[in-house]
């Protein structure tokens, strides 16, 4: 087999063609004297086309190309959490140590610390029959998360020996009768989904604390959501809010082709954030992948696969995982860039013809499943899309919308009015409410779905009325319709708007959301009664208790006071009737 | 490399030269072409293989023939950098243009520039006061940010950029900015305007200029910003300077990018611009920022003119996805005679929240800014309504907002070209004065405690009571 070593034939940006080797598709190869990491993406006669994950300037034809025999894989095991990786699972702090603040090239770094010792507690014993994917022991990886060490794929049989104690992740902790040794670390090729037993229908909501999302357009655990929006409409803030507040146990955050400063903000801020569910630092449950827009484009292409493989790994332990990818458009553009270097026949707008199937494959890796170990775990995927010019008729948005079940449509107009989150309540949708309604009835309030319908109906009616107002002004409307407008305004300003940067307002639990929605409806009811009894609309709208109710949401302990404020508002509205 | 000269040109296409049968040549290598009349041109390797090498020629391929000698210099493009760059004017390829001597290099720096490890960045959070109310109050700039000016032909973006360059300072700090100015395809007239203004204010001594004018080779524009940013990085991260990089006009840069793409017969993306334009622009814009353990910083002010005033055009669109906000210049305001004609509604600074507030500007800054936005946005919307139904149909609140929109434009936005308003006593206090034209009960974005503390009439009322 002299087909292990070859030579570079051609270099064009991140795409290198090699001759003299016969690698497999998607095999990782080392390119040039510096041993740059690359992946085989096309075979063409004697030529192998390689996408290189590092900058290629200065490399010459004739330099060596060496096969590794492996496909692009990630290392999975204790040490993933709190880590910050680039697109090919090189830890960024490690890169800083070896290369300084600028990322140069030719440096290899393990995804996991191979030396670090962990306290392993065996949960099976000698003589037990284990199968692939089964949990054989645990490691307290961070304060909040217990890492469940699983038998790797294709390993199974009777346990010959297993020991608890302190080990690094490559030392075998368990030996099977057939001689297989199992260590805490396993590797998995990023482009293949990890196996599971069965996919379930999603029927539990992923609670995010964001009112418009949870209440009007909920996402289920194991579901998929797309957030398309023009720049400046708050995509990134929305993603970050989800990463901070969603009730998933593990969060994988992929900054794909992101701004460097924004990524830094996330990296700086996350370690200081406290998980509202556990009161421990949020980082304890987070894995970050940061591949900024100026880092090599091929690594950007790989970053979403690296991320979802890590997410699946935690899912297999029985955790609920939320994965945010910001932005999938940059990923698609990376595909386009590489495809154009390959001189492939382009599809729509220069994107490769396989764009939509790649998007579908990626989102299909989400789901709530029964794991090989017999537990329930889920991966929810939330992908941001950055459509050029905010026009969602473009291929990436369309390819995404065909697959995802939830659409959170960001709106530049709302962002300009500083209505945040700038999610358009008329164009957004969620296909999950039906599946989730029973859960809401059982866990929050028996009339939760009805309240939601009332609120969204009001918003619909408002949209219709606004068209008339645009023509004739609001004073020309009958008073009951003017009231409807006021109620809808209250929904928008009090309920849908939520300040991500405000300590209190940034998160509302479902119970509070329900009470806030009820408060709006009870305002409507009381106001209707009062107006029928002769009160002036203006007096009703301007009762001080209503202002207190609305401003109160910025204060701590609001959930305890809200009902009191609603009662007070009711009394004042009733009084405004008597005053007339 | 042995310094061998090849005469194996097979094809010449636009700015590209194709050669056969060379020794192995590395990707990105610098190339020298010697024409039959003895004149020299420079280029760079775009594609290399055993059989063929493609070279882009910066000065254009006029007069290149099959006899032209091509020499590969064995290295990628580097800029000689030293502190001596400050006060100098260089051309678009880094050669002195001011008649001065060559730059004595302390170091030769690769102009492509490596990506900053996101983990090694420092969050930008020092407020820069520009003295322009619209920017300071509503789209606050912070050190290490990249904030482009989205303008269009015929608008005073150059004046605004210069005013920022002149007035920019950190509140309570004497640190001055060094300006690195990068011109890409601007006219000689515009260039003179910049240079005269920088000279007049003495800023030229504190600036390094890289100039590619409209009649200079178009392909050279692709390296000019890289030279400027390489100089900026050197000054910021080796010599602790705070560098303000102004480059104009990004639209010309992108045109050159498209030209190369077309010559290579690449599959075009939107409007003929290459599919990798996003990555290419990112490799410029992302060279802004602060780095842990270094004192200096790079703040970028790219100026781009939106073709047809269209913000969805690929150039502003892709820029907006990379930069941390944008300052949008409005033709409508300009025609009303308002300077600076900044439309704050589509303008945005993504790093604003990190740079304002207590200890940085003032505690009420965020609330005031939100309120200004909201009131002005609603006021402008009402203008449309009034055009249809007349003012009589408006209620009290709407009337006040409508009036506020005019007040905001004429008193808040409008300021003279040399008026330097301090943030707190100038801009924010002015904002409160103007907001007092609206009943406090309609000022829903303002926290009550700020109303109590800063509202000019409201606090008077409470004293009287």
């Amino acid at each position: 087999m002299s087909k292990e070593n070859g030579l570079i034939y051609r270099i064009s940006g991140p795409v290198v063609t090699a001759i003299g080797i016969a690698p497999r598709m998607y095999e990782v190869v080392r390119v040039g004297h510096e041993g740059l990491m690359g992946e085989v993406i096309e075979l063409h006669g004697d030529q192998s086309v390689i996408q290189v994950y590092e900058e290629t300037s200065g490399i010459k034809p004739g330099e060596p190309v060496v096969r590794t025999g492996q496909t692009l894989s990630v290392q999975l095991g204790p040490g993933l959490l709190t880590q910050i990786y680039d697109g090919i699972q090189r830890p960024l702090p490690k890169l800083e140590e070896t290369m300084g603040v600028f990322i140069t090239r030719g440096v290899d770094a393990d995804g996991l610390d191979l030396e670090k010792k962990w306290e392993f507690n065996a949960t099976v014993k000698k003589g037990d029959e284990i199968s692939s994917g089964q949990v054989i022991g645990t490691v307290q990886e961070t304060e909040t998360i217990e890492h469940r060490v699983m038998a790797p794929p294709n390993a199974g049989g009777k346990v010959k020996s297993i020991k608890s104690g302190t080990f690094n992740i490559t030392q075998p902790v368990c030996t099977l009768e057939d001689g297989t040794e199992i260590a805490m670390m396993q590797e998995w090729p990023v482009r293949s989904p990890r196996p599971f037993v069965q996919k379930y229908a999603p029927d539990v909501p992923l609670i995010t604390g964001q009112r418009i999302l949870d209440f009007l357009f909920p996402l289920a655990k194991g579901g998929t959501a797309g957030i398309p929006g023009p720049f400046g409409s708050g995509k990134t803030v929305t993603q970050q809010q989800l990463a901070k507040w969603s009730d998933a146990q593990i969060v994988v955050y992929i900054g794909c082709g992101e701004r460097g400063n924004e990524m830094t903000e996330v990296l700086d801020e996350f370690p200081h954030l406290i998980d509202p569910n556990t009161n421990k630092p949020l980082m304890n449950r987070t894995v970050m992948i940061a591949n900024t827009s100026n880092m090599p484009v091929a690594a950007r292409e790989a970053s979403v696969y690296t991320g979802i493989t890590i997410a699946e790994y935690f899912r297999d332990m029985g955790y609920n995982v939320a994965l945010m990818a910001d932005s999938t458009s940059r990923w698609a553009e990376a595909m386009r860039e590489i495809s154009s270097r390959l001189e492939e026949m382009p599809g729509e707008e220069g994107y490769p013809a396989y764009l939509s199937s790649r998007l579908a494959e990626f989102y299909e890796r989400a789901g709530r499943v029964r794991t090989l170990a017999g537990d329930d775990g889920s991966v929810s995927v939330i992908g941001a899309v950055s459509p050029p010019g905010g026009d969602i008729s473009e291929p990436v948005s369309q390819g995404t919308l065909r697959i995802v079940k939830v659409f959170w449509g960001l709106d530049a107009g709302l962002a300009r009015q500083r209505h945040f989150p700038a999610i358009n309540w008329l164009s957004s949708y969620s296909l999950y409410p039906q599946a989730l309604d029973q859960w809401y009835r059982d866990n929050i309030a028996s009339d939760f779905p009805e309240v939601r319908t009332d609120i969204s109906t009001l918003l619909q009616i408002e949209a219709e009325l606004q068209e008339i107002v645009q023509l004739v002004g609001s004073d020309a409307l009958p008073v009951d319709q003017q009231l409807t407008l006021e109620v809808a305004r209250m929904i928008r300003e009090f309920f849908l708007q939520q300040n991500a940067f405000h300590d209190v307002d940034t998160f509302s639990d479902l119970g509070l959301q329900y009470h806030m929605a009820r408060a709006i409806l009870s305002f409507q009811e009381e106001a209707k009664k009062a107006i029928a009894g002769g009160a002036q609309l203006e007096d009703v709208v301007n009762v001080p208790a209503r202002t207190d109710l609305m401003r109160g949401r910025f204060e701590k302990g609001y959930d305890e006071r809200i009902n009191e404020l609603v009662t007070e508002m009711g009394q004042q509205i009733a009084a405004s009737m008597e005053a007339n | 490399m042995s310094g061998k000269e090849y005469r194996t040109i097979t094809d010449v296409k636009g700015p590209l030269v194709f050669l056969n049968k060379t020794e192995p040549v590395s990707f990105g290598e610098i190339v020298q072409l010697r024409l039959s009349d003895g004149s020299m041109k420079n280029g760079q390797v775009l594609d290399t293989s055993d059989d063929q090498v493609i070279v882009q020629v910066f000065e254009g391929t006029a007069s290149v023939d099959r006899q032209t000698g091509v020499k590969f210099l064995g290295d990628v493009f580097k800029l000689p950098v030293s502190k001596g760059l400050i006060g100098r004017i260089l051309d678009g390829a880094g050669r002195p243009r001011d008649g001065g001597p060559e730059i004595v290099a302390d170091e030769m720096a690769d102009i492509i520039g490596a990506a900053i490890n996101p983990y090694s960045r420092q969050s930008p959070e020092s407020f820069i006061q520009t003295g322009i109310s619209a920017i300071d109050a509503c789209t606050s700039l912070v050190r290490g940010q990249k904030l482009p000016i989205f303008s269009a032909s015929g608008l005073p973006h150059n004046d605004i950029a210069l005013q920022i360059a002149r007035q920019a300072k950190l509140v309570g700090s004497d640190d001055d900015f060094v300006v690195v100015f990068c011109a890409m395809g601007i006219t000689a007239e515009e260039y003179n305007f910049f240079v005269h203004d920088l000279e007049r204010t003495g800023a030229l001594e504190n600036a390094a200029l890289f100039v590619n004018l409209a009649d200079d080779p178009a392909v050279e524009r692709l390296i000019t910003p890289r030279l400027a940013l390489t100089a900026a990085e050197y000054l910021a991260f080796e010599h602790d300077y705070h560098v303000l990089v102004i480059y104009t006009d990004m639209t010309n840069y992108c045109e050159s990018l498209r030209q190369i793409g077309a010559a290579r017969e690449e599959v075009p993306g939107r409007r003929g611009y290459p599919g990798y334009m996003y990555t290419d622009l990112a490799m410029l814009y992302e060279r802004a920022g602060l780095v842990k353990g270094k004192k200096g910083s790079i703040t970028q002010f790219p100026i781009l003119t939106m073709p047809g005033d269209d913000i969805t055009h690929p150039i502003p669109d892709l820029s907006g996805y990379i930069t941390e906000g944008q300052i949008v210049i409005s033709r409508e305001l300009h025609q009303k005679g308002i300077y600076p004609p900044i439309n704050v509604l589509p303008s945005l600074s993504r790093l604003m929240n990190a740079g304002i507030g207590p200890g940085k500007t003032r505690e009420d800054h965020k609330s005031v800014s939100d309120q200004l936005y909201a009131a002005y946005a609603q006021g402008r919307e009402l203008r449309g309504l009034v055009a249809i139904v007349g003012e009589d149909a408006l209620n009290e609140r709407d009337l006040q907002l409508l009036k506020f929109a005019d007040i905001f434009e004429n008193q808040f936005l409008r300021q003279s070209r040399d008026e330097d308003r301090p943030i707190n006593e100038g801009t924010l206090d002015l904002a409160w004065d103007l907001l007092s034209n609206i009943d406090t009960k309609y000022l829903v974005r303002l926290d009550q405690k700020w109303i109590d503390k800063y509202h000019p009439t409201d606090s008077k009322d409470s004293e009287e009571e």
Side-chain angles (χ1 to χ4, degrees):
Chain A
M1 283 287 282
S2 64
K3 292 285 192 186
E4 298 297 316
N5 299 304
L7 298 172
I8 297 178
Y9 167 73
R10 176 185 173 193
I11 304 146
S12 171
V15 174
V16 166
T17 309
I19 46 172
I21 53 171
R24 289 177 294 149
M25 277 293 275
Y26 299 114
E27 180 171 336
V28 171
V29 291
R30 297 285 168 182
V31 176
H33 294 304
E34 291 173 81
L36 309 184
M37 189 169 166
E39 187 182 10
V40 176
I41 51 171
E42 195 177 281
L43 299 174
H44 189 72
D46 183 39
Q47 298 183 348
S48 312
V49 182
I50 299 158
Q51 62 175 359
V52 179
Y53 293 120
E54 297 176 80
E55 170 65 40
T56 51
S57 62
I59 312 276
K60 282 188 195 132
E63 289 190 27
V65 176
V66 182
R67 287 182 60 180
T68 63
Q70 290 194 319
T71 51
L72 184 64
S73 300
V74 285
Q75 299 180 336
L76 301 167
L80 285 168
L81 294 172
T82 74
Q83 196 49 268
I84 301 155
Y85 292 115
D86 76 352
I88 45 174
Q89 214 206 5
R90 296 186 302 179
L92 290 173
K94 194 103 199 166
L95 295 186
E96 185 189 63
E97 249 171 62
T98 46
M99 318 195 248
V101 297
F102 290 100
I103 296 182
T104 50
R105 62 187 188 192
V107 175
D108 233 353
D110 281 307
L112 295 174
D113 188 338
L114 303 183
E115 302 304 317
K116 185 170 176 182
K117 304 261 188 190
W118 297 90
E119 192 64 41
F120 173 79
N121 292 307
T123 51
V124 293
K125 53 185 191 303
K126 186 178 170 193
D128 284 357
E129 195 71 41
I130 64 162
S131 58
S132 130
Q134 190 173 335
V135 177
I136 59 164
T138 60
V139 171
Q140 196 65 39
E141 184 174 354
T142 64
E143 264 181 299
T144 41
I145 301 295
E146 177 192 76
H147 194 107
R148 296 165 193 156
V149 177
M150 296 170 285
N154 312 324
K158 210 174 227 176
V159 177
K160 187 173 163 203
S161 71
I162 184 163
K163 46 198 171 183
S164 298
T166 312
F167 303 97
N168 70 33
I169 54 174
T170 53
Q171 286 171 325
V173 289
C174 172
T175 313
L176 302 183
E177 291 282 345
D178 65 3
T180 313
E181 290 187 327
I182 300 174
M184 282 187 266
M185 181 180 83
Q186 50 175 283
E187 294 194 9
W188 189 264
V190 297
R191 293 184 198 275
S192 321
R194 287 176 60 89
F196 52 83
V197 176
Q198 179 195 353
K199 245 182 205 180
Y200 297 121
D203 53 11
V204 180
L206 183 80
I207 297 162
T208 67
Q210 309 306 301
R211 293 188 287 266
I212 184 164
L213 306 186
D214 286 354
F215 200 80
L216 292 182
F217 311 110
L219 174 63
K221 288 200 169 89
T224 51
I227 320 183
F231 64 82
S233 58
K235 247 184 327 288
T236 303
V237 175
T238 309
Q239 287 268 29
Q240 290 176 5
Q241 284 295 92
L242 292 171
K244 281 180 210 167
W245 302 117
S246 70
D247 69 341
Q249 290 141 311
I250 306 284
V251 170
V252 178
Y253 187 93
I254 310 172
C256 175
E258 263 270 7
R259 300 176 180 88
N261 279 333
E262 225 159 56
M263 215 55 236
T264 309
E265 202 184 308
V266 175
L267 300 182
D268 275 1
E269 196 181 351
F270 265 55
H272 301 293
L273 290 172
I274 299 299
D275 181 347
N277 299 314
T278 59
N279 284 323
K280 294 280 159 32
L282 259 182
M283 262 327 256
N284 283 345
R285 62 160 194 177
T286 309
V287 182
M288 288 213 238
I289 294 167
N291 205 76
T292 58
S293 52
N294 57 339
M295 284 156 78
V297 69
R300 193 197 306 162
E301 195 270 334
S303 64
V304 299
Y305 294 106
T306 302
I308 195 129
T309 308
I310 293 172
E312 285 176 339
Y313 175 66
F314 281 103
R315 172 202 71 191
D316 291 346
M317 294 181 205
Y319 287 118
N320 291 311
V321 184
L323 176 131
M324 283 92 198
D326 186 11
S327 145
T328 56
S329 293
R330 306 295 159 235
W331 172 50
E333 275 161 19
M335 277 190 249
R336 172 166 73 182
E337 197 171 327
I338 289 159
S339 158
S340 110
R341 302 269 187 190
L342 293 177
E343 291 161 12
E344 289 175 341
M345 185 71 86
E348 235 179 313
E349 291 195 19
Y351 286 104
Y354 46 80
L355 171 72
S356 60
S357 62
R358 290 277 169 89
L359 283 168
E361 276 165 27
F362 168 65
Y363 282 104
E364 262 311 284
R365 289 175 75 170
R368 201 164 137 249
V369 305
R370 185 178 174 80
T371 65
L372 294 182
D375 298 318
D376 286 357
S378 70
V379 175
S380 315
V381 174
I382 299 147
V385 186
S386 320
D391 170 15
I392 61 164
S393 66
E394 56 90 40
V396 185
S397 303
Q398 287 304 312
T400 305
L401 290 181
R402 276 204 298 275
I403 312 156
V404 298
K405 297 284 189 296
V406 177
F407 168 63
W408 293 324
L410 289 161
D411 188 313
L414 290 174
R416 271 204 287 283
Q417 292 163 29
R418 292 300 182 263
H419 175 110
F420 286 117
I423 292 169
N424 187 315
W425 50 90
L426 298 172
S427 66
S428 300
Y429 60 75
S430 164
L431 300 179
Y432 291 117
Q434 288 211 322
L436 300 176
D437 276 352
Q438 197 52 46
W439 188 93
Y440 291 123
R441 287 189 207 280
D442 295 346
N443 291 281
I444 306 295
S446 55
D447 63 343
F448 190 100
E450 286 74 25
V451 173
R452 178 179 55 225
T453 311
D454 286 350
I455 296 282
S456 56
T457 310
L458 276 164
L459 289 169
Q460 280 297 340
I461 296 174
E462 185 205 22
E464 287 158 25
L465 289 179
Q466 283 295 356
E467 279 174 27
I468 304 172
V469 172
Q470 290 297 320
L471 294 175
V472 298
S474 62
D475 284 1
L477 293 180
V479 70
D480 62 323
Q481 293 190 344
Q482 288 188 33
L483 173 67
T484 307
L485 287 182
E486 280 300 334
V487 176
R489 191 218 291 275
M490 188 170 175
I491 298 176
R492 285 187 282 118
E493 293 184 356
F494 167 63
F495 190 76
L496 299 184
Q497 283 187 18
Q498 192 169 356
N499 186 344
F501 300 101
H502 193 285
D503 310 345
V504 178
D505 198 35
T506 185
F507 177 87
S508 301
D509 66 37
L510 268 181
L512 178 60
Q513 294 184 20
Y514 169 75
H515 285 297
M516 287 172 76
R518 286 301 307 228
I520 295 168
L521 296 179
S522 86
F523 165 72
Q524 185 190 25
E525 220 168 284
E526 299 289 336
K528 245 185 207 160
K529 262 191 269 169
I531 289 169
Q536 293 294 316
L537 175 64
E538 196 172 339
D539 296 337
V540 170
V541 169
N542 287 331
V543 295
R546 179 165 168 268
T547 315
D548 291 346
L549 173 75
M550 287 171 68
R551 285 211 172 133
R553 73 179 205 266
F554 294 109
E555 280 151 33
K556 282 205 176 88
Y558 184 55
D559 43 348
E560 288 148 29
R561 288 181 52 225
I562 181 164
N563 287 330
E564 199 180 301
L565 289 166
V566 171
T567 317
E568 204 175 315
M569 177 178 70
Q571 288 161 353
Q572 290 185 3
I573 291 174
S576 73
M577 174 167 59
E578 282 143 28
N580 270 276
Chain B
M1 205 76 347
S2 53
K4 207 189 266 181
E5 197 175 273
Y6 295 93
R7 288 176 193 276
T8 54
I9 293 178
T10 55
D11 298 23
V12 180
K13 238 193 265 175
L16 303 182
V17 165
F18 299 70
L19 287 103
N20 272 350
K21 297 189 214 102
T22 59
E23 310 254 304
V25 172
S26 58
F27 179 71
E29 194 168 331
I30 286 300
V31 180
Q32 220 167 46
L33 291 87
R34 198 161 52 83
L35 273 54
S36 38
D37 62 359
S39 63
M40 307 293 279
K41 286 176 187 281
N42 297 298
Q44 190 176 13
V45 175
L46 276 194
D47 195 319
T48 170
S49 70
D50 286 352
D51 303 331
Q52 190 182 51
V53 174
I54 305 177
V55 175
Q56 70 173 1
V57 183
F58 297 135
E59 291 89 344
T61 47
S63 312
V64 172
D65 59 12
R66 292 203 169 80
Q67 266 57 58
T68 298
V70 180
K71 208 158 140 183
F72 297 96
L73 301 185
D75 204 351
V76 292
F77 207 117
K78 290 193 169 158
L79 174 75
V81 285
S82 78
K83 269 171 100 165
L85 281 167
I86 300 175
R88 296 297 304 272
I89 304 177
L90 307 174
D91 72 3
R95 294 170 296 235
R97 191 193 168 96
D98 52 5
E102 293 284 330
I103 304 293
V104 180
D106 278 353
E107 202 179 294
M108 295 298 287
D110 183 347
I111 67 159
I112 300 298
I116 300 176
N117 185 332
Y119 179 77
S120 311
R121 281 179 183 265
Q122 212 179 313
S123 282
E125 51 190 18
S126 316
F127 174 77
I128 296 176
Q129 177 183 303
T130 64
I132 297 173
S133 290
I135 298 176
D136 287 353
C138 300
T139 49
S140 313
L141 173 69
V142 298
R143 204 144 72 175
Q145 186 171 14
K146 41 194 177 292
L147 191 61
I149 299 178
F150 284 10
S151 186
S153 38
L155 297 179
H157 42 263
N158 291 342
D159 299 68
I160 297 172
L162 278 168
Q163 190 170 359
I164 293 167
R166 261 194 323 267
Q167 298 181 171
K169 60 175 146 312
L170 277 193
V171 183
S173 150
D174 298 331
D175 291 355
D176 253 345
F177 285 97
V178 171
V179 174
V180 170
F181 176 77
C182 167
M184 294 168 283
I186 63 170
T187 60
E189 205 175 309
E190 283 175 292
Y191 165 67
N192 288 335
F193 174 74
F194 270 103
V195 172
H196 284 151
D197 194 90
L198 291 171
E199 239 167 13
R200 180 175 65 85
T201 55
L204 198 56
E205 289 161 33
N206 249 336
L209 279 63
F210 292 84
V211 183
N212 166 287
L213 295 185
D215 57 352
D216 287 336
V219 183
E220 192 183 88
R221 267 161 229 165
L222 295 177
I223 54 167
T224 312
R226 295 190 160 79
L227 298 173
L229 289 164
T230 305
E233 273 171 3
Y234 176 78
L235 294 172
F237 302 135
E238 300 297 326
H239 291 287
D240 298 343
Y241 284 104
H242 296 292
V243 185
L244 195 63
V245 184
I246 300 176
Y247 33 120
T248 182
D249 177 337
M250 282 311 289
T251 307
N252 295 334
Y253 174 85
C254 295
E255 298 289 325
S256 295
L257 208 57
R258 178 162 70 173
Q259 199 185 334
I260 290 286
R264 291 188 67 185
E265 295 175 2
E266 288 167 348
V267 180
R270 266 203 312 156
R271 303 223 188 165
Y273 293 96
Y276 49 80
M277 189 157 89
Y278 177 83
T279 308
D280 193 275
L281 288 175
M283 291 180 72
L284 301 178
Y285 294 141
E286 277 295 337
R287 291 171 83 174
L290 285 85
V291 165
K292 280 182 202 158
K294 310 248 180 193
K295 282 200 195 115
S297 65
I298 298 177
T299 309
Q300 289 189 12
F301 262 110
I303 298 172
L304 59 89
T305 48
M306 300 182 280
D309 294 13
D310 177 10
I311 200 168
T312 65
H313 185 279
I315 299 171
D317 191 54
L318 294 180
S319 295
Y321 277 121
I322 307 165
T323 55
E324 283 127 2
Q326 64 276 341
I327 294 172
V328 180
I329 313 283
S330 146
R331 195 175 296 281
E332 181 205 334
L333 290 172
H334 179 62
Q335 277 160 352
K336 281 188 186 167
I338 292 165
Y339 174 89
I342 295 172
N343 185 354
V344 298
L345 300 181
S347 298
L348 169 76
S349 165
R350 291 168 183 275
L351 301 180
M352 175 167 176
N353 287 328
I356 62 170
K360 290 168 177 163
T361 55
R362 211 167 68 185
E363 53 197 0
D364 57 326
H365 190 151
K366 172 87 176 105
S367 293
V368 169
S369 159
D370 284 351
Q371 185 62 64
L372 287 173
Y373 259 107
Y376 180 57
Q378 291 173 31
R380 271 179 67 122
E381 225 166 75
L382 287 165
R383 279 182 190 162
L385 183 60
V386 166
I388 302 172
V389 298
E391 282 193 23
D392 294 349
L394 298 189
N395 59 27
E396 181 57 28
R397 172 176 177 274
D398 290 354
L399 273 175
Q400 288 184 6
L401 290 170
L402 181 69
K403 214 174 100 203
F404 178 78
D406 291 335
I407 295 174
F408 180 79
E409 288 174 2
N410 282 309
Q411 299 183 38
F412 192 76
L413 294 184
R414 189 196 291 280
Q415 65 186 90
S416 74
R417 283 171 169 72
D418 46 20
E419 185 180 355
D420 188 356
R421 288 189 194 150
I423 174 69
N424 292 346
E425 312 76 57
T427 298
L428 291 179
D429 284 354
L430 175 64
W432 278 103
D433 271 348
L434 302 182
L435 285 171
S436 68
N437 288 295
I438 304 174
D439 241 347
T440 41
K441 68 170 179 254
Y442 302 134
L443 299 176
V444 289
R445 303 291 175 114
L446 292 171
D447 276 354
Q448 190 58 43
K449 52 185 171 188
W450 308 142
I451 294 180
D452 294 343
K453 193 163 170 188
Y454 295 105
H455 195 284
T457 47
D458 194 75
S459 46
K460 219 181 292 156
D461 285 352
S462 53
E463 276 159 36
E464 282 164 12
E465 276 163 15

